Amino acid sequence: METDTTIPTPGAPPTEDGTRDHGARDHGAGEYEGTEDGGWEELVTSALLGTDRRVPARLGALPGRDLPGALLDAAALHTVRRRAGLRPGPAVPPPEPAPEDHRRPLPGAARRRLDQLLAGRAAPSPAGRRGAAPDLAELLPQWLALANERGFKAPAATLPSLLDAARARTDLRPQALLLAGPRGLWLARLNPEWRFALRGAGAGTSLPDPGDREGVRALWDEGLFAERVALLCAVRTEEPSAGLALLASTWPAERAEDRLMFLDSLRTGLSGADEEFLEEALGDRSRNVRATAAELLSALPASALAGRMAGRAVTCVGLDRTAESPTITVEAPHECDSAMQRDGLAATPPAGRGERSWWLGQLVEAAPLSCWPPRFGGRGPEEIVALPVADDWQAELHAAWCRAAVRQRDADWSRALLGSPATPPATGPGTSSLAERAQLLSTLPPEERARWVGAFIAAHGLSEAFQLLGVCEVPWAEPLGGAVIDALDIAREAGSYPWSFSGVMGLAERCLAPEAARQLESLTARPEEAEDISPGAGGYWSEAFQRLVSTLRLREAMRTELTEPAR
């Protein structure tokens, strides 16, 4: 059956029977029958360029007509014809139903808070100032971690926003995908923009249970690379020997770059049971695989490689008892032979580094720290580190001991190399590098770490403490929190601008215990500015402390909301 698709022209005069003239003859639309795609493209081109520069062929036969009006009428007619003529496509099978997520639903207040955090950050203040409002985007990672820790699931309506946030910020992905759970992965399969969620298998719910041997085997044989890495880590966490057996079953057939990533996964649950496999990996054709295998073996002080490295290292470093006071002497290696290279030593040093010092550092770093007390007459780590080192080898030797202490997670050597927090970094033992000191601190228990960094801040201020604060457990335990607040107060009294401490202030907003808001309340008032301080600094400090207090209170509210019963 044919349908009359003639469209009345707006403003057309009525006919004798009272209806409008459907001919649209005033503008010529009825004479344009461009229903083909080519006709539509011709109309679009003419509209973009203008009818004075490009006139569609059939409208050009209308001299003296209103060409722009005729063009619009023709476009309207063409659009209606296209819509009316659209044929339904073949039926598509509906997607499988979303899987169930049996975790607890969020309490009402926490659901609203999540919506607020996903909406973004607070509005910017004038002149680029941060203002006194909390930065909501910076609090989202902490909220996600709290919600996952307490076993909640994301509301179904929030999943799209949650996946969008994870797509934009890689730092959010592990926690965001864990909260999204199986329904988040189900939804991600329906939108190509969320494909990242499938690559990383960030929500552990997509992995088979490590005890499900058939499921583990099937995913290991058929899964994507990222899924296999996640699976290996999960199995290693649950049962290290099963993870090693899984890797060994396909090791010869893996690509070199994949072998490197899989080998790195053995750090989880690393033990002497992995030694035989790692020794075989020392003969791998990939240099990076060999280096990683050697590093893992050197982290096992009882391994054969550690013994070989100890034998080499003690021939290079010894104690001179003939000097006025006991002194460490160093004779760096004169060559890097094939056996040393097989055990992971890189023969070619970086630019600007001497060969012998480069080889010495690698040997000492890979040698078990337990080999040094017998070498130095039974002295302990603190006594050894305190010994003078001849011929300007101290910096190189101590730096290698620092790397060994971090690799072997040896707290006693870390304490010795860190020294007293009151000692200036440039004159202390171990290393003056704050990055290396932060790594040494990571081997200490959290409470001891907080005490050491708190004492360091009390002695040296905040300017050198940023990297050290980054390795302290959150929320900051006392006396660390009090030391940070006191140092910020001292900086405020000195009249410096707060943006000089913006990094520490941002950390404080995320890491101070929420209870510290009461202690900070008195610092939010705008102080009277003396003549010898920076103009306007007092107002900036007042604003910064107001933001800090507001953020701490918001974190406390977040924590409370996540403890309320779900409704």
Side-chain angles (χ1 to χ4, degrees):
M1 184 176 91
E2 296 185 359
T3 303
D4 182 9
T5 58
T6 306
I7 305 301
T9 303
T15 59
E16 293 181 358
D17 61 357
T19 63
R20 295 283 179 179
D21 179 6
H22 292 185
R25 302 187 187 280
D26 287 346
H27 299 299
E31 300 178 29
Y32 186 81
E33 298 177 357
T35 58
E36 305 86 355
D37 287 342
W40 177 254
E41 292 175 0
E42 190 180 14
L43 289 174
V44 171
T45 302
S46 180
L48 291 172
L49 297 177
T51 54
D52 56 338
R53 298 179 61 189
R54 175 71 62 85
V55 180
R58 300 191 183 187
L59 293 185
L62 304 174
R65 302 290 186 180
D66 179 7
L67 290 179
L71 176 67
L72 293 176
D73 285 342
L77 179 61
H78 192 105
T79 300
V80 173
R81 282 176 172 169
R82 293 178 70 184
R83 290 176 179 173
L86 181 65
R87 296 181 179 180
V92 177
E96 295 181 2
E100 290 294 330
D101 190 341
H102 299 288
R103 293 176 296 174
R104 294 189 295 156
L106 284 168
R111 287 199 305 271
R112 293 188 290 274
R113 182 72 67 193
L114 176 59
D115 291 338
Q116 179 189 22
L117 295 175
L118 288 171
R121 61 176 66 241
S125 297
R129 293 168 63 165
R130 288 186 61 193
D135 189 339
L136 301 181
E138 291 302 318
L139 292 178
L140 182 55
Q142 198 167 106
W143 187 97
L144 291 171
L146 273 173
N148 286 323
E149 182 184 305
R150 296 176 185 185
F152 290 111
K153 64 180 178 181
T158 310
L159 289 175
S161 298
L162 191 62
L163 289 170
D164 280 340
R167 179 170 65 94
R169 290 179 56 181
T170 55
D171 63 308
L172 294 178
R173 289 182 183 179
Q175 294 290 349
L177 294 179
L178 183 58
L179 186 71
R183 291 196 163 192
L185 293 180
W186 172 86
L187 190 61
R189 293 187 182 96
L190 305 178
N191 186 346
E193 292 187 349
W194 298 329
R195 196 177 297 129
F196 70 89
L198 308 177
R199 287 196 299 268
T205 50
S206 66
L207 298 176
D209 186 276
D212 178 7
R213 302 297 185 188
E214 292 185 4
V216 167
R217 187 74 248 179
L219 184 59
W220 181 253
D221 290 338
E222 303 170 8
L224 300 174
F225 171 68
E227 293 174 327
R228 299 177 73 209
V229 171
L231 177 66
L232 181 58
C233 290
V235 175
R236 283 285 291 185
T237 301
E238 187 75 19
E239 188 179 351
S241 61
L244 179 63
L246 192 66
L247 178 57
S249 67
T250 59
W251 179 258
E254 304 289 354
R255 300 183 305 167
E257 55 268 33
D258 293 352
R259 291 200 304 275
L260 180 63
M261 289 294 293
F262 289 140
L263 198 63
D264 198 65
S265 300
L266 295 187
R267 296 180 192 277
T268 303
L270 182 67
S271 71
D274 303 315
E275 182 180 356
E276 181 180 353
F277 179 84
L278 293 172
E279 274 285 345
E280 292 181 4
L282 289 176
D284 195 272
R285 57 185 180 274
S286 166
R287 181 176 62 84
N288 290 331
V289 171
R290 294 195 303 270
T292 301
E295 180 189 345
L296 293 173
L297 283 168
S298 66
L300 298 171
S303 68
L305 179 136
R308 295 194 295 270
M309 289 298 192
R312 296 175 181 127
V314 296
T315 64
C316 297
V317 181
L319 188 64
D320 183 2
R321 304 177 189 274
T322 63
E324 293 183 4
S325 60
T327 302
I328 296 176
T329 59
V330 174
E331 180 65 30
H334 291 274
E335 65 172 341
C336 184
D337 58 33
S338 58
M340 293 166 67
Q341 293 181 48
R342 182 185 181 276
D343 282 347
L345 266 70
T348 305
R353 185 80 179 272
E355 283 186 336
R356 296 182 66 198
S357 65
W358 171 243
W359 298 333
L360 174 75
Q362 293 180 85
L363 280 180
V364 174
E365 176 183 353
L369 291 165
S370 58
C371 74
W372 298 114
R375 182 63 170 164
F376 294 112
R379 291 176 173 85
E382 290 188 9
E383 295 174 293
I384 294 173
V385 169
L387 290 171
V389 183
D391 300 326
D392 297 325
W393 282 104
Q394 177 169 319
E396 184 70 49
L397 182 60
H398 282 198
W401 276 337
C402 286
R403 296 192 297 272
V406 173
R407 181 181 295 187
Q408 298 171 36
R409 313 304 296 172
D410 193 306
D412 290 334
W413 274 87
S414 293
R415 293 186 189 98
L417 292 161
L418 282 166
S420 169
T423 304
T427 60
T431 174
S432 60
S433 165
L434 291 173
E436 291 180 356
R437 286 190 162 209
Q439 291 179 323
L440 290 171
L441 282 167
S442 69
T443 69
L444 304 182
E447 299 80 5
E448 184 179 356
R449 208 180 307 165
R451 287 195 302 272
W452 198 97
V453 178
F456 181 91
I457 291 172
H460 309 293
L462 286 169
S463 59
E464 298 183 349
F466 183 77
Q467 288 178 293
L468 305 181
L469 287 168
V471 299
C472 293
E473 192 175 66
V474 178
W476 290 335
E478 292 300 334
L480 177 56
V484 171
I485 293 173
D486 290 343
L488 289 171
D489 190 18
I490 291 170
R492 179 184 71 109
E493 292 291 338
S496 58
Y497 284 116
W499 50 74
S500 302
F501 302 92
S502 59
V504 174
M505 189 67 79
L507 270 180
E509 291 173 12
R510 299 188 296 274
C511 302
L512 273 175
E515 295 77 16
R518 291 186 291 273
Q519 184 180 351
L520 288 159
E521 188 68 48
S522 61
L523 303 179
T524 59
R526 181 168 184 154
E528 296 184 5
E529 296 185 0
E531 295 182 358
D532 58 342
I533 68 171
S534 303
Y540 283 102
W541 275 110
S542 174
E543 194 174 81
F545 279 118
Q546 288 174 29
R547 181 175 61 252
L548 178 54
V549 170
S550 299
T551 302
L552 294 178
R553 287 178 174 161
L554 179 55
R555 284 175 50 209
E556 179 64 29
M558 285 164 38
R559 188 168 63 183
T560 301
E561 291 162 359
L562 286 167
T563 58
E564 294 176 356
R567 296 184 187 134

